[in-house]
Structures are given as C-alpha cells and as structure tokens.
C-alpha cells in the first residue's frame, strides 16, 4: 500500500512523532513504553501513534493484552525518492537518520549532542 507524501510529511512534522520513530528504530515497543519518556497522557501518545500508523510509518498489533508498535522499514521510501528528485538529497539512510534525530532532539532538550 502506498501512502500519500502529504500524510507522511505531515506525520514527520511533529517533534514528538519524530522522537517516537527514533525510539522505534531500536526495537518494537509496547505503547506504554513509548509513552514513558514523554510528559503527556497515554491518550495523547495514542493519537500520535495513530497518525504515524495512518501515514504507514509504523504498524500496531495486539499481543495478548499489550499493544505493540513497530517501525515500518520501507515507510519513508516514497518520501526519499521524492527528495532525490531535487538532486541534492541522498537516499534516506536509517542509521544516519537516527543519528540526526538524536542530535536534533538533544539540542531541543538543551543537552549537547552525543559524541561531541
């Protein structure tokens, strides 16, 4: 299934959602674990997760009584291809993207970037 670029970029426009994607780069996570580092309600996190799922960036599945979130590895392929059309962007490298997100998020929090 192909997702609209507008939907993908809209989902990526929020720093909380970008942080969630960064967390999911490590491994699948239960919704409660995703919510833990954020100072917002579980309902608010669930709304962010629903937006990410609607954009096709993550999937959610119920395992027993726990809802799990999983990053979709090819989710940003169409966005990456679109950006390549401008000739100044390289394909999205998820490892580099993760490092970029960590740097950006640490700057927002007032902490120095890791590795500096």
């Amino acid at each position: 299934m192909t997702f609209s670029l507008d939907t993908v970029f809209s989902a990526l426009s929020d720093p909380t959602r970008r942080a969630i994607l960064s967390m999911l780069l490590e491994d699948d996570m239960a919704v409660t674990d995703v919510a833990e580092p954020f100072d917002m309600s579980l309902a608010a996190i669930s709304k962010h997760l629903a937006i990410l799922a609607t954009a096709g960036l993550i999937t959610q599945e119920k395992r027993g009584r726990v809802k799990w979130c999983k990053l979709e590895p090819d989710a940003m392929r169409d966005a990456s291809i679109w950006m390549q059309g401008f000739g100044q962007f390289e394909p999205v490298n998820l490892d580099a993207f993760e490092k970029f997100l960590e740097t950006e998020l640490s700057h927002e929090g007032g902490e120095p970037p890791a590795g500096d």
Side-chain angles (χ1 to χ4, degrees), residues 10-49:
S10 178
L12 293 172
S13 70
D14 184 273
T16 299
R17 292 191 288 270
R18 291 192 306 270
I20 290 169
L21 290 174
S22 182
M23 292 165 52
L24 292 174
L25 279 169
E26 298 295 319
D27 201 1
D28 299 359
M29 295 179 76
V31 170
T32 53
D33 293 333
V34 170
E36 188 176 309
F38 299 99
D39 187 24
M40 60 181 71
S41 69
L42 190 56
I45 289 295
S46 292
K47 286 181 183 179
H48 283 294
L49 293 172

Side-chain angles (χ1 to χ4, degrees), residues 82-100:
W82 181 81
M83 288 187 294
Q84 288 176 48
F86 290 94
Q88 59 190 2
F89 296 98
E90 295 294 321
V92 173
N93 174 315
L94 289 181
D95 289 335
F97 184 62
E98 176 185 20
K99 288 177 185 168
F100 168 78

Side-chain angles (χ1 to χ4, degrees), residues 51-64:
I51 291 167
L52 291 170
T54 298
L57 297 170
I58 67 167
T59 53
Q60 294 181 306
E61 72 173 300
K62 196 119 181 186
R63 298 180 198 163

Side-chain angles (χ1 to χ4, degrees), residues 70-83:
K70 176 185 176 188
L71 183 69
E72 285 302 309
D74 296 329
M76 288 188 256
R77 177 182 287 140
D78 288 343
S80 176
I81 291 168
W82 181 81
M83 288 187 294

